[in-house]
Amino acid sequence: MSDFVPFAVPDIDESEIEAVVDALRSGWLSTGPKARAFEEEFAAALGGDVHAVAVNSATAGLHLALEALGIGPGDRVIVPTHTFTATAEVVRYVGADVVLADIDPSTYCIDVDDVRRKLSDRVRAIIPVHYAGMPCDMDRLLELARERNIAVVEDAAHAFPTRVGDKLVGTLESDCTVFSFYATKTITTGEGGMLVTRNDKIAKRARVMRLHGIDRDAFDRYRSERPGWYYEVVAPGFKYNLTDVAAAIGLQQLHKSQRFFERRTALARQYDEALAGLPLRLPPRPVSGQHAWHLYVVQLTDSARIGRDELIAGMYERGIGCSVHYIPLHLQPYWRDRYGLSPADFPNSQRLFERCVSLPLYTRMTDADQRRVIEALWALLG
Ligand SMILES: *Cc1c(COP(=O)(O)O)cnc(C)c1O
């Protein structure tokens, strides 16, 4: 169909195209001055006072965070089941084990009571996910983590700009926060991510490990006395650096991020108003805080006359792309079989999965596009 309303499209215009051409003409394609500027401007957007370490994906950033925290074999990390597999796979990268927790039906984020039930001496960290851009109950989670001396790494892939109370995610008291700039996220570099921390040691370790374990400080220290080709490898690091070409896109996206946020919020409000009256549970929203509206997830109620799969198929027939976030990890073969999991262990996530639909939400969506989505929903469910 020529006028298909897709689930999501990146918002790229001439400014990103010019910035990329500029980066290409500069002759510096890999990590250089633009990646550095992107880190500085991203940290400034969070209010300064944090280290921002640019990486080539949020998955890489989460991996570096766990590595810097010294998590390894024998350790356990608690992760919500209702997330993308990247949140959990990084725990396996460092040889630790995943403990899945259910979600709180009032936020769709990790259930702090279930986290408490699943704590043991071996649990070293918790990775909450600000699902859809909705803030987790960070006050209770951070209090619990502090009480038990457990690290917190926020998966903020959906959460730029989410606020807990009036504080932006990235500025809370957790050990580390990791943002994603994947193509569908609220700002994008195509592929990319940012590890944010107030902890000097974590930032230093992440900077060394994102580029082959090369110690830049040693390099700088000796530069005056050593020839230009000299460097020191202090660990078997990774190849997780962000390119200047990607950072050039990121800088432009960052400059537009307030407008992007305002458009997403306006679209979410318009959905709220137009969908009231349908057999749908509208997305939860923060009591105090700010939703980033990365996703607009509705849940079919028991009175709906069709099921979730039928609704998505009906929308597709009407030229509208929808999605499901997520098939929970407890249903995925690897996680299910490795840890012997069943849906009965995660009733809230299972219930959400069976009924949820993510509606199209992207900044280039016009009011006319959105009206088509709303009319199709009324035709199928009204
Ligand atoms: C997108 C996403 C990731 C991974 O981000 P990448 O930048 O693609 O590595 C991790 N967690 C969640 C919840 C995500 O949606």
Side-chain angles (χ1 to χ4, degrees):
M1 194 175 297
S2 60
D3 57 347
F4 193 83
V5 178
F7 171 68
V9 276
D11 196 337
I12 296 293
D13 67 20
E14 284 307 311
S15 70
E16 282 85 5
I17 293 168
E18 277 168 27
V20 166
V21 170
D22 217 47
L24 294 174
R25 287 196 207 286
S26 79
W28 203 302
L29 303 187
S30 185
T31 305
K34 292 206 162 59
R36 185 77 225 146
F38 186 39
E39 288 178 334
E40 281 166 10
E41 290 198 27
F42 195 84
L46 295 177
D49 194 29
V50 290
H51 300 282
V53 181
V55 285
N56 59 10
S57 72
T59 308
L62 290 166
H63 182 194
L64 291 176
L66 296 184
E67 199 279 336
L69 287 164
I71 290 163
D75 296 334
R76 291 184 180 159
V77 176
I78 301 181
V79 172
T81 188
H82 213 91
T83 186
F84 185 55
T85 193
T87 317
E89 78 196 30
V90 295
V91 176
R92 301 293 302 130
Y93 288 4
V94 297
D97 273 300
V98 172
V99 177
L100 293 180
D102 202 1
I103 53 166
D104 177 341
S106 71
T107 61
Y108 302 169
C109 295
I110 197 164
D111 177 3
V112 181
D113 294 321
D114 201 35
V115 171
R116 190 185 291 276
R117 279 192 289 276
K118 286 171 174 163
L119 286 177
S120 70
D121 292 344
R122 291 173 66 185
V123 171
R124 294 271 323 275
I126 307 165
I127 312 182
V129 177
H130 302 288
Y131 174 86
M134 170 82 187
C136 297
D137 185 353
M138 291 304 293
D139 292 343
R140 282 183 66 222
L141 194 72
L142 286 166
E143 191 188 316
L144 178 61
R146 254 194 309 270
E147 208 177 275
R148 303 289 290 255
N149 199 24
I150 294 167
V152 174
V153 176
E154 292 169 75
D155 179 337
H158 302 180
F160 186 73
T162 292
R163 285 177 196 269
V164 175
D166 57 5
K167 288 196 190 118
L168 279 170
V169 164
T171 68
L172 309 178
E173 299 305 314
S174 53
D175 296 86
C176 240
T177 303
V178 180
F179 296 89
S180 173
F181 309 131
Y182 179 67
T184 58
K185 302 288 159 73
T186 54
I187 66 169
T188 186
T189 59
E191 299 280 2
M194 194 73 80
L195 180 155
V196 171
T197 182
R198 283 221 182 78
N199 183 312
D200 299 340
K201 280 196 184 135
I202 290 175
K204 180 168 191 292
R205 179 71 178 177
R207 285 187 193 286
V208 169
M209 294 306 280
R210 79 172 160 183
L211 195 67
H212 304 297
I214 292 171
D215 191 330
R216 280 277 140 197
D217 287 350
F219 177 84
D220 289 341
R221 188 160 59 243
Y222 291 123
R223 195 159 48 189
S224 51
E225 302 151 31
R226 303 264 186 178
W229 46 261
Y230 184 80
Y231 60 88
E232 282 184 0
V233 174
V234 298
F238 308 102
K239 188 68 201 291
Y240 283 167
N241 55 307
L242 187 75
T243 68
D244 263 25
V245 177
I249 301 173
L251 281 163
Q252 297 307 313
Q253 292 270 301
L254 192 56
H255 298 161
K256 299 174 194 170
S257 60
Q258 182 58 27
R259 174 165 67 72
F260 286 175
F261 168 67
E262 284 165 14
R263 181 61 184 153
R264 285 180 175 279
T265 303
L267 288 164
R269 276 212 197 95
Q270 285 166 197
Y271 271 142
D272 287 345
E273 281 168 24
L275 303 180
L278 285 175
L280 293 174
R281 188 185 157 195
L282 301 183
R285 52 215 67 216
V287 179
S288 94
Q290 175 174 288
H291 199 307
W293 294 113
H294 165 54
L295 299 172
Y296 191 92
V297 180
V298 296
Q299 227 188 127
L300 284 162
T301 61
D302 292 337
S303 60
R305 55 186 154 87
I306 56 172
R308 193 269 312 277
D309 296 357
E310 219 182 317
L311 177 62
I312 293 178
M315 294 295 280
Y316 187 80
E317 276 166 27
R318 286 166 173 74
I320 295 157
C322 293
S323 192
V324 171
H325 296 87
Y326 290 93
I327 303 167
L329 299 183
H330 66 261
L331 295 179
Q332 295 291 4
Y334 172 76
W335 301 110
R336 181 194 63 205
D337 297 347
R338 177 169 174 92
Y339 296 112
L341 306 170
S342 86
D345 305 329
F346 307 96
N348 298 327
S349 168
Q350 185 66 27
R351 191 182 157 81
L352 176 60
F353 165 63
E354 286 168 7
R355 291 147 206 271
C356 73
V357 179
S358 304
L359 302 180
L361 181 67
Y362 49 93
T363 52
R364 295 177 67 140
M365 184 179 217
T366 63
D367 288 348
D369 293 332
Q370 191 179 34
R371 266 197 304 279
R372 274 191 50 202
V373 178
I374 291 161
E375 278 161 19
L377 285 166
W378 275 92
L380 289 160
L381 295 170

